Each structure stands twice: as structure tokens, then as C-alpha cells.
Amino acid sequence: MTAFPTLDPELAAAITMLPSVDFADIPSARATFDVLLESFLADLSFDGVNLRELAVPGLGDDPDVTIRFFTPENAVGPLPVLLWIHGGGFAIGTAQSSDPYCVDVIRELGFAVASVEYRLAPETPFPGPLHDCYAALLFIHAHADELGIDPNRIAVGGQSAGGGLAAGTVLKARDEGVVPVAFQLLEIPELDDRLTTTSMTEFVDTPMWHRPNAILSWQYYLGDSYTGPSDPGVSIYAAPSRATDLSGLPPTYLCTMELDPLRDEGIDYALRLLQAGVSVELHSYPGTFHGSALLATAEVSQRGHAEALDSLRRGLRTLASTS
């Protein structure tokens, strides 16, 4: 596909400003991302926000995990908390890249946010990144009192690959039965290594993210032992779309973008959650593409951001009133 007739006009006007990320060259992709990050963080204000870094014990013999822990100034706890997992195709990105989003959650909702600095593929393939996220979840739950958070109002969320890691973390939390995750927030999640959906098959040259990048992303994440989409050994915690039982998962917000190869796997996951008895709010934004929210002034980007925050507010506040 080379023409995108349904592309939102506001996004189309600014699309040339976005970087091209080539996953065939990870050092170059990371460097491109770092330049983009500098521009986004240059004018970020932390007024009204407390930020500290926590060193969290890794699972087993894993190294410590860093959490960027945000709270409102003069907060009166216990606060609801969002465990947030950044995107980047499992191979690029940093927790710091999500600082603007975390600051918005603090200012708009008054919640705490724990942003996870998980190890990246291909240097650390699955299960390392997933274990880092799960270790962070265990820590904030076990240390809720000293952190000033409510252990019964923990949401897990993420964007893109971070959305896939969030879904995997929540599946593991359900199966382990230690942390009662109250809500999951899955934004444009990367969930399925099998790459067979219509959107994944057709969108081979869409802006920001496309099928060739997705193929490499899964190869990096699943490691040298991965034999491809037919590999029967892929864990549901790595590729949550492979899970056959989605019952017992928490209420969910999930959004997809129309011109995104990940679109159909996200919609399918939301439908299967509904069929398993999970309460789901699903949004599929027209005229958008993977990462188009970087063009934050576009009306559709502003609407998407506001609706995600509102779902988080309603999810955790509603649970608070009934607990």
C-alpha cells in the first residue's frame, strides 16, 4: 500500500516531520529515537510533580530494575497507581521517553505513576523484559504503604510493545495470583508474533511502523531459539494473543489506529476479552497510524489522549468506591 486515502488531513500535513525508524539497524534506530526524545523533553516542566528513581530487585538472579516513580506534590495517599511500560518494538526506547505522559497522568488524574526501565532486546530477549515489568509490579504492590499507593487500585498500561508487555504482565499476574491488577490500559498494543491479520499483511509501508519492522521486532524479542510464527513454544506472556483463556483479567481499555499493522490483533484481543466476560472499552481511531499521537496538536490525537486518561480515571475511581 502506497496511498492512504483515509489519512486524517491534520496528520497528513505533518507526516514528513516524523522520523523514519529502520529496525534492520538497531543502533541507528536508537540514535534516531534519542534525537526525537531530546526535542520532546526539552521544554517539559515538572512543576507540581515529584519524581524519584527506585531500584527494584529483579526476579531471581536478574539485575535490579529501575522505576521512575512520579507522584503529585503534597499528595495525600493512598493513591491509585499506574504501572506504565514504554513502547519501542521491544528494542528501542527508555522509561524517560514516557515522562510527558506520566506528568499528564499526575496533573490530570492525581494518580501515582511507576514507569519501568526494562531491559531491551535483542541484547535481552524474552523473558527478560517481561520479568522486569513483573518485578516492578510485585515491588509496588509489596511496598504500597511506604510508596503511598493503594494496593487495590493498581493499573498496568503501556503503548505499542509496551502494551504487549503490559498485557503479558497482567496475564502473569492473573496466573500467579499475587497482585490483584485492577485495570489494564493497552494503547496500540503489539500482541501477536504470528503476523497473519489483514492489517499486518497489507500495511507493509505505513508511516512509523509497518510489517517489515514488526517481523524484526518479534525476532529480536523472542531470541535466537525462535523459529517463526509456527513456533509452538512461544509463551502467552510474550505474545498474549496466543493465550486461549482470557477469563479473569481486569477491566480493559484498548485502542488501535486505522492505518496500523497492529490494528487487527488489538481489535481481536479486545473482542476475545469481551467474549471471556471481561469489561472492555475499545476505540479504533480513524485516519490515524501507529505513532501518530506524536503529532499531539491534531484533534484526533488530543481526543485519543483525553479518552485514555478518562478511562483510567473511571476504571480506578469506580473500583475505589466499591472496594
Side-chain angles (χ1 to χ4, degrees), residues 52-309:
R52 56 188 168 122
E53 289 198 344
L54 309 175
V56 173
L59 293 187
D61 296 329
D62 287 349
D64 286 354
V65 181
T66 297
I67 292 176
R68 293 174 69 79
F69 187 66
F70 300 78
T71 53
E73 286 185 354
N74 305 314
V76 178
L79 299 173
V81 59
L82 170 65
L83 182 79
W84 181 255
I85 307 171
H86 71 81
F90 306 112
I92 65 174
T94 64
Q96 188 183 17
S97 68
S98 291
D99 281 5
Y101 179 83
C102 298
V103 168
D104 277 352
V105 172
I106 300 300
R107 290 179 177 155
E108 295 295 324
L109 305 183
F111 293 177
V113 182
S115 183
V116 186
E117 191 75 87
Y118 60 89
R119 290 168 290 169
L120 298 176
E123 294 88 349
T124 305
F126 178 85
L130 188 282
H131 281 181
D132 292 347
C133 297
Y134 188 66
L137 178 64
L138 291 175
F139 181 87
I140 64 171
H141 180 258
H143 296 266
D145 284 348
E146 64 191 77
L147 294 173
I149 61 176
D150 185 343
N152 295 310
R153 286 193 287 170
I154 298 175
V156 178
Q159 186 177 83
S160 190
L165 284 163
T169 299
V170 173
L171 281 168
K172 187 171 178 63
R174 177 200 65 180
D175 295 344
E176 297 290 334
V178 176
V179 181
V181 176
F183 192 77
Q184 64 176 344
L185 184 76
L186 308 179
E187 297 194 353
I188 53 175
E190 187 171 3
L191 300 164
D192 196 346
D193 69 293
R194 293 167 296 187
L195 309 173
T196 57
T197 66
T198 297
S199 60
M200 183 58 71
T201 302
E202 291 187 355
F203 295 153
V204 297
D205 59 356
T206 37
M208 293 290 289
W209 196 248
H210 44 63
R211 179 180 176 84
N213 278 353
I215 292 171
L216 290 169
S217 174
W218 283 110
Q219 290 174 350
Y220 296 148
Y221 183 46
L222 296 177
D224 293 339
S225 65
Y226 178 57
T227 60
S230 61
D231 189 333
V234 175
S235 169
I236 64 169
Y237 306 139
S241 286
R242 287 183 177 250
T244 57
D245 178 11
L246 299 182
S247 63
L249 292 171
T252 300
Y253 172 89
L254 193 152
C255 72
T256 65
M257 304 296 158
E258 181 181 2
L259 302 171
D260 183 354
L262 303 180
R263 180 194 67 199
D264 293 351
E265 64 199 64
I267 293 172
D268 178 68
Y269 197 71
L271 291 175
R272 293 200 299 117
L273 284 167
L274 284 166
Q275 292 159 3
V278 177
S279 181
V280 176
E281 180 174 350
L282 170 64
H283 291 254
S284 189
Y285 289 99
T288 55
F289 53 86
H290 193 89
S292 61
L294 288 171
L295 301 169
T297 58
E299 186 277 333
V300 67
S301 299
Q302 294 177 347
R303 179 161 56 92
H305 183 62
E307 287 172 345
L309 288 182

